[in-house]
């Protein structure tokens, strides 16, 4: 049945039988046969077909969601059985929110690959809410998030502290002020992350801590364009010191001296099951010992 589900997932994602067949290295009639067999076993049609594409119907959406979860569990089960050989190897599906995923995780993966070359990591970078959802549905083995996580279904462990600062372009008028007031901050345009991200949560906490709300905001969905916007003079932002270390070192950005900052938050790892593959075990141990690397940023 797992092969039928894999074929179904690929057809649903490619929205086309021929493209799915190419992806799976199968013939198109074979793909069609797998889909018919799955629909027969379910007793209901799962795909709406046209000459140009195929699309999930309501029943198909239900099967697609659970098929992803089932295959994730199947893969985890197989990896746990393989681990009886006591060798860390195989797939490791990692999710990370943007700050950690873009600026910290690559350094940790370098150590992982040097020590365990047979582990094959696959990384998904998304906001905290999305990472948590993918871990919950077994599509990721582990998620690394920023800030507080309020879900009850997952196992959470804090493993390092991150410091966040308000940054401006080196050419910004505030960069030349010896004393920056709350009024200055309130009147600036703030470049912020979208709702659901750990960085946005931290930013809202700082607004509450300093007792102001900005009059103007512009929203971006990842850290890199925020840095580009700040450097170009579009506005100011609260960002992890890890994310802006190069810009600060190169004097393209400047940290504003604000009383009560930096703002500290936690990097946390989230997992779904207490049963862990050997690959996941060694990765978690690397995370637990990585704080000195993270804080150097």
């Amino acid at each position: 049945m797992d092969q039928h589900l894999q074929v179904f997932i690929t057809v649903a994602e490619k929205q086309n039988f021929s493209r799915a067949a190419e992806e799976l290295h199968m013939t198109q009639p074979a793909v069609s046969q797998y889909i018919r067999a799955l629909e027969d076993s379910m007793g209901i049609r799962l795909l709406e077909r046209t000459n140009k594409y195929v699309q999930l119907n309501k029943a198909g959406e239900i099967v697609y969601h659970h098929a992803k979860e089932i295959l994730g569990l199947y893969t985890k089960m197989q990896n746990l059985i393989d681990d009886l050989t006591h060798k860390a190897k195989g797939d490791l599906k990692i999710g990370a929110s943007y700050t950690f995923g873009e600026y910290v995780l690559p350094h940790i993966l370098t150590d992982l690959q040097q020590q365990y070359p047979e582990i094959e990591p696959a990384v998904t970078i998304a906001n905290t809410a999305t990472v948590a959802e993918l871990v919950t549905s077994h599509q990721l083995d582990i998620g690394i998030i920023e800030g507080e996580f309020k879900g009850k279904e997952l196992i959470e462990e804090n493993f390092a502290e991150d410091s966040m600062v308000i940054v401006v372009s080196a050419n910004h008028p505030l960069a030349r002020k010896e004393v920056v007031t709350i009024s200055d901050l309130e009147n600036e345009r703030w470049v912020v992350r979208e709702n659901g991200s750990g960085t946005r949560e931290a930013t809202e906490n700082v607004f509450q801590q300093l007792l102001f709300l900005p009059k103007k905001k512009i929203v971006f969905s990842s850290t890199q364009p925020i840095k580009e916007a700040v450097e170009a003079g579009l506005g100011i932002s609260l960002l992890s010191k890890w994310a802006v270390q190069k810009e600060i070192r190169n004097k393209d950005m400047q940290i504003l001296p604000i009383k009560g900052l930096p703002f500290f938050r936690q990097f946390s790892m989230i997992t779904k099951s207490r049963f862990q593959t050997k690959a996941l075990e060694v990765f978690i141990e690397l995370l637990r010992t990585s704080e000195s690397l993270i804080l150097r940023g």
Side-chain angles (χ1 to χ4, degrees):
M1 179 60 71
D2 57 297
Q3 181 67 22
H4 290 78
L5 294 180
Q6 185 60 65
V7 170
F8 173 72
I9 287 169
T10 306
V11 171
E13 291 177 346
K14 297 295 183 182
Q15 296 187 309
N16 183 282
F17 278 87
S18 59
R19 287 199 295 270
E22 183 179 345
E23 174 79 13
L24 294 165
H25 305 290
M26 299 170 64
T27 65
Q28 186 171 333
V31 170
S32 299
Q33 186 175 353
Y34 271 103
I35 296 299
R36 280 197 300 272
L38 181 62
E39 289 180 325
D40 288 345
S41 71
M42 294 289 174
I44 192 170
R45 198 176 188 85
L46 304 175
L47 297 168
E48 301 301 327
R49 299 157 172 85
T50 72
N51 292 332
K52 294 183 178 179
Y53 61 87
V54 293
Q55 194 169 25
L56 293 171
N57 57 24
K58 185 63 177 177
E61 289 175 358
I62 293 171
V63 173
Y64 175 79
H65 173 78
H66 289 286
K68 295 279 282 188
E69 186 168 345
I70 288 166
L71 288 185
L73 284 169
Y74 182 87
T75 300
K76 183 174 288 187
M77 177 188 70
Q78 187 62 57
N79 288 338
L80 285 166
I81 296 300
D82 291 342
D83 282 349
L84 293 177
T85 62
H86 303 293
K87 196 171 186 179
K89 63 179 181 179
D91 296 339
L92 178 61
K93 296 183 290 254
I94 303 166
S97 49
Y98 284 93
T99 299
F100 195 94
E102 291 178 337
Y103 302 103
V104 183
L105 184 58
H107 301 276
I108 295 172
L109 289 181
T110 298
D111 288 347
L112 180 73
Q113 292 288 269
Q114 287 172 349
Q115 296 180 47
Y116 305 98
E118 293 188 64
I119 293 178
E120 299 179 8
V123 177
T124 298
I125 296 179
N127 67 29
T128 292
T130 301
V131 169
E133 181 181 340
L134 292 173
V135 173
T136 300
S137 63
H138 300 282
Q139 294 178 54
L140 293 173
D141 299 313
I142 185 169
I144 303 161
I145 59 172
E146 304 139 13
E148 296 181 6
F149 176 70
K150 300 176 178 64
K152 296 180 179 178
E153 295 183 57
L154 301 178
I155 303 161
E156 181 180 14
E157 178 184 336
N158 295 337
F159 66 92
E161 193 172 63
D162 183 29
S163 58
M164 305 191 70
V165 291
I166 297 175
V167 291
V168 298
S169 164
N171 298 320
H172 195 283
L174 289 184
R176 295 188 289 274
K177 290 193 68 172
E178 291 185 9
V179 177
V180 178
T181 66
I182 299 302
S183 178
D184 291 329
L185 300 180
E186 187 177 27
N187 290 321
E188 283 296 325
R189 179 188 293 109
W190 279 75
V191 190
V192 299
R193 285 286 307 280
E194 80 286 3
N195 287 324
S197 79
T199 298
R200 178 61 177 270
E201 179 189 11
T203 302
E204 297 294 339
N205 286 338
V206 166
F207 292 159
Q208 292 180 21
Q209 178 180 314
L210 300 181
L211 301 176
F212 81 95
L213 284 175
K215 295 179 179 178
K216 294 172 285 186
K217 284 190 290 191
I218 183 168
V219 179
F220 284 91
S221 61
S222 69
T223 301
Q224 190 58 40
I226 289 180
K227 294 203 303 178
E228 296 290 339
V230 170
E231 195 172 333
L234 182 60
I236 69 177
S237 189
L238 181 83
L239 292 173
S240 165
K241 285 184 72 174
W242 183 273
V244 295
Q245 60 175 334
K246 290 183 180 178
E247 288 77 12
I248 299 299
R249 186 167 57 241
N250 295 334
K251 298 184 178 179
D252 297 319
M253 285 188 195
Q254 185 170 314
I255 297 173
L256 292 183
I258 306 295
K259 186 178 180 180
L261 295 183
F263 175 84
F264 294 99
R265 64 176 178 179
Q266 294 292 321
F267 284 135
S268 304
M269 62 180 92
I270 50 175
T271 53
K272 176 70 172 179
S273 172
R274 296 190 184 278
F275 294 102
Q276 297 172 352
T277 65
K278 190 70 67 174
L280 180 54
E281 283 181 5
V282 299
F283 178 66
I284 287 175
E285 194 54 38
L286 270 181
L287 289 177
R288 287 172 177 155
T289 58
S290 66
E291 185 165 12
S292 60
L293 171 65
I294 294 167
L295 293 180
R296 283 204 302 271

